[in-house]
């Protein structure tokens, strides 16, 4: 048993800085083995803890942001204005124009952004990228989640919107299109998906009048995980699928999950056990909202840290391990009859819970939990549990 972990106040997340850095560095090494120029834009929405953003920044990542709040957050944490990748429909006009003026990578997503571009001073030239719509069922049916795996984002080539958007932008005398953005997250996260996207998009680029300096392939990759594609395999796939003529283009990737998932653990403690209806109901001080906010996981990478100062018997009934919230469905997992019977003080550690957990966590009943930094077996607080002061901030009553 890791006695230090036993002392942390629960529930809490634990960030392993070394793991995050290793992931970023390995992804970069893979990209640099194939492409002359590559940028890693860390996807802020996947985990926007300021400490994570700072580590990403300090290890050469840009911040990939998808709202004006994330844009401001990235600047607050200290990202250079040129090291922002600004995507999505939730750009404000002010931050959009500021980003374009300051040389950020800005991928146009909406018609209104094209209108905003007209307002830039005409005595200077500016560069933007544009997002292309990727319908997985059409581009890579092998990877589709059902027959209609369509996409809400980007301009569609087939409908003619993409061509119209390109023409509208190029008609503005001081704006150049220098990049294309083709993010899409297939359920399979397969290497083949990216190869098929590259083949599809290449023919659009080569048929058009676009002369691009970057191709932003987006995110959606697996992190380092047994049996899953490695960063190198993804990058080799990009390179193989890329037509000769486009191989000099700068590659941008926007990993979130792939770099941050494995860097976080979550720790909870058993606070009560009841018995009825032929089952033990184990209540913890954690919540499923914190480890599976979509409520779709069937299991977790979990580890039991049993309180070995106490005797553990084998359970003569199944045990239902549940969370702190008052939601009936806040149940994490079930343990079959015959497993060690959990008792108050036992702890459960969940691994690989850094992606889409902290950012999707609701302020329901229990406010944001502690986050600790783990460095060489020592722990320090990165974020203190929110209390009522943070919760009522900005309220008038
Ligand atoms: C969500 C998102 C990402 C990151 O996706 P991951 O699956 O976390 O890698 C990258 N780019 C854009 C545009 C996104 O919306």
């Amino acid at each position: 048993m890791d006695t230090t972990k036993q002392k942390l106040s629960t529930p809490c997340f634990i960030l392993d800085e070394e793991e995050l850095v290793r992931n970023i560095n390995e992804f970069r090494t893979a990209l640099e083995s194939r492409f002359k120029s590559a940028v890693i834009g860390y996807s802020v929405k996947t985990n926007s803890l300021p400490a994570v953003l700072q580590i990403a920044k300090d290890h050469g990542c840009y911040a990939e942001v998808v709202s004006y709040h994330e844009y401001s957050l990235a600047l607050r944490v200290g990202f250079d204005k040129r090291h922002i990748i600004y995507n999505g429909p939730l750009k404000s006009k002010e931050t959009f124009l500021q980003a374009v003026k300051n040389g950020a990578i800005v991928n146009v997503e909406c018609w209104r952004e094209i209108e905003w571009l007209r307002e830039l001073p005409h005595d200077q030239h500016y560069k933007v990228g544009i997002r292309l719509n990727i319908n997985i069922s059409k581009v890579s049916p092998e990877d589709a989640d059902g027959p209609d795996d369509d996409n809400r984002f980007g301009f569609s080539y087939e409908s003619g919107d993409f061509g119209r958007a390109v023409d509208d932008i190029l008609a503005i005398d001081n704006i150049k299109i220098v990049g294309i953005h083709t993010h899409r997250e297939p359920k399979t996260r397969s290497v083949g998906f990216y190869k098929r996207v590259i083949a599809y998009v290449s023919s659009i680029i080569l048929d058009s009048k676009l002369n691009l300096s970057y191709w932003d392939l987006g995110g959606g990759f697996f992190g380092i995980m047994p049996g899953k594609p490695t960063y190198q395999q993804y990058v080799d796939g990009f390179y193989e699928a890329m037509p000769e003529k486009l191989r000099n283009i700068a590659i941008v990737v926007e990993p979130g999950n792939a770099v941050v998932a494995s860097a976080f653990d979550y720790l909870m403690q058993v606070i009560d056990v009841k018995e009825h209806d032929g089952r033990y109901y184990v209540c913890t001080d954690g919540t499923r909202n914190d480890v599976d906010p979509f409520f779709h996981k069937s299991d977790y990478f979990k580890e039991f840290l049993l309180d070995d100062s106490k005797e553990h018997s084998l359970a003569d009934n199944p045990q239902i391990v549940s969370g702190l919230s008052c939601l009936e469905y806040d149940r994490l997992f079930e343990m079959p009859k015959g497993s060690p019977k959990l008792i108050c003080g036992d702890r459960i550690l969940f691994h690989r819970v850094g992606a889409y957990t902290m950012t999707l966590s609701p302020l329901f009943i229990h406010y944001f939990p502690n986050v600790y930094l783990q460095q060489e077996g020592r722990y320090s607080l990165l974020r203190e549990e929110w209390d009522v002061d943070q919760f009522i901030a900005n309220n008038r009553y």
Side-chain angles (χ1 to χ4, degrees):
M1 186 173 51
D2 186 335
T3 48
T4 328
K5 250 185 203 110
Q6 208 63 306
K7 288 199 195 109
L8 300 178
S9 99
T10 54
C12 64
F13 284 98
I14 305 162
L15 166 61
D16 180 347
E17 176 171 2
E18 212 177 298
E19 175 71 13
L20 179 58
V21 170
R22 174 174 80 120
N23 294 344
I24 292 169
N25 288 344
E26 288 198 16
F27 210 151
R28 172 166 302 103
T29 302
L31 288 162
E32 289 176 351
S33 75
R34 291 296 203 174
F35 295 98
K36 276 199 206 114
S37 169
V39 168
I40 299 180
Y42 170 68
S43 160
V44 169
K45 76 165 189 285
T46 308
N47 189 317
S48 54
L49 190 77
V52 167
L53 303 186
Q54 192 169 36
I55 294 166
K57 172 174 70 67
D58 291 346
H59 291 83
C61 294
Y62 288 26
E64 189 266 334
V65 300
V66 287
S67 70
Y68 54 88
H69 285 138
E70 287 191 348
Y71 178 84
S72 303
L73 174 65
L75 295 187
R76 177 78 70 90
V77 170
F79 280 91
D80 189 305
K81 287 200 179 90
R82 290 164 304 171
H83 293 176
I84 302 280
I85 304 173
Y86 204 178
N87 290 326
L90 198 60
K91 304 176 185 92
S92 67
K93 181 172 170 181
E94 188 196 349
T95 54
F96 171 84
L97 292 175
Q98 183 187 106
V100 174
K101 281 184 188 164
N102 284 281
I105 294 179
V106 180
N107 293 313
V108 169
E109 165 72 51
C110 295
W111 295 107
R112 66 174 184 169
E113 294 167 15
I114 300 177
E115 295 310 311
W116 295 343
L117 287 174
R118 300 183 201 285
E119 298 183 24
L120 284 161
H122 281 260
D123 55 355
Q124 278 203 52
H125 286 81
Y126 301 96
K127 298 168 178 174
V128 294
I130 182 166
R131 182 158 179 182
L132 178 71
N133 180 271
I134 303 288
N135 179 319
I136 302 186
S137 296
K138 289 185 185 146
V139 174
S140 188
E142 298 90 324
D143 297 283
D145 185 17
D148 196 16
D149 200 350
D150 60 350
N151 183 198
R152 297 199 291 124
F153 303 102
F155 296 97
S156 161
Y157 184 72
E158 286 76 17
S159 77
D161 271 6
F162 183 77
R164 277 189 289 276
V166 167
D167 288 344
D168 284 2
I169 295 169
L170 296 182
I172 311 172
D173 59 4
N174 59 340
I175 312 287
K176 259 170 69 177
I177 298 177
V178 295
I180 194 159
H181 181 216
T182 60
H183 169 76
R184 194 64 213 279
E185 207 160 303
K187 211 171 174 188
T188 58
R189 300 181 185 272
S190 76
V191 174
F193 168 76
Y194 293 92
K195 295 175 80 167
R196 286 181 280 275
V197 167
I198 289 171
Y200 166 77
V201 179
S202 295
S203 69
I204 294 174
I205 297 174
L206 295 172
D207 273 356
S208 73
K209 37 193 173 239
L210 296 171
N211 180 15
L212 302 181
S213 52
Y214 74 84
W215 184 338
D216 183 343
L217 286 161
F221 316 105
F222 279 114
I224 300 171
M225 231 170 128
K228 303 298 184 194
T230 60
Y231 301 134
Q232 190 67 50
Q233 284 167 331
Y234 282 115
V235 173
D236 290 347
F238 305 161
Y239 187 78
E240 283 159 24
M242 195 68 73
E244 199 77 45
K245 273 191 186 166
L246 295 175
R247 278 185 180 161
N248 283 331
I249 207 164
I251 295 295
V252 179
V253 290
E254 304 171 338
N257 175 72
V259 297
V260 83
S262 64
F264 278 90
D265 289 346
Y266 181 75
L267 187 64
M268 56 165 64
Q269 178 163 314
V270 174
I271 58 171
D272 193 50
V273 183
K274 292 195 178 71
E275 182 184 7
H276 53 88
D277 300 314
R279 287 182 282 267
Y280 290 109
Y281 290 85
V282 178
C283 186
T284 70
D285 60 6
T287 168
R288 185 157 176 178
N289 280 322
D290 282 342
V291 291
D292 182 23
F294 297 119
F295 280 72
H296 65 192
K297 288 187 184 164
S298 53
D299 203 0
Y300 311 83
F301 299 95
K302 61 181 188 294
E303 193 182 324
F304 294 94
L305 309 177
L306 302 183
D307 180 352
D308 51 19
S309 67
K310 296 178 193 150
E311 198 69 29
H312 283 76
S313 58
L314 295 183
D316 52 350
N317 276 319
Q319 303 175 82
I320 295 176
V321 178
S322 19
L324 62 86
S325 75
C326 290
L327 299 169
E328 191 58 64
Y329 63 78
D330 186 4
R331 301 170 181 221
L332 287 121
F333 57 91
E334 194 170 325
M335 296 162 75
K337 187 173 156 173
S339 340
K341 187 166 177 291
L342 297 175
I343 50 181
C344 290
D346 286 344
R347 293 183 156 205
I348 307 167
L349 184 65
F350 295 78
H351 299 292
R352 310 189 65 91
V353 291
Y356 303 100
T357 48
M358 294 166 63
T359 41
L360 281 165
S361 192
L363 289 166
F364 183 73
I365 299 183
H366 180 275
Y367 309 145
F368 296 149
N370 282 326
V371 182
Y372 292 95
L373 175 67
Q374 171 191 329
Q375 270 172 324
E376 289 158 9
R378 299 229 306 270
Y379 299 90
S380 54
L381 252 192
L382 276 180
R383 182 181 74 189
E384 203 174 331
E385 181 182 80
W386 271 32
D387 65 16
V388 171
D389 289 337
Q390 284 78 43
F391 186 77
I392 65 172
N394 290 2
N395 278 270
R396 289 159 185 83
Y397 57 97

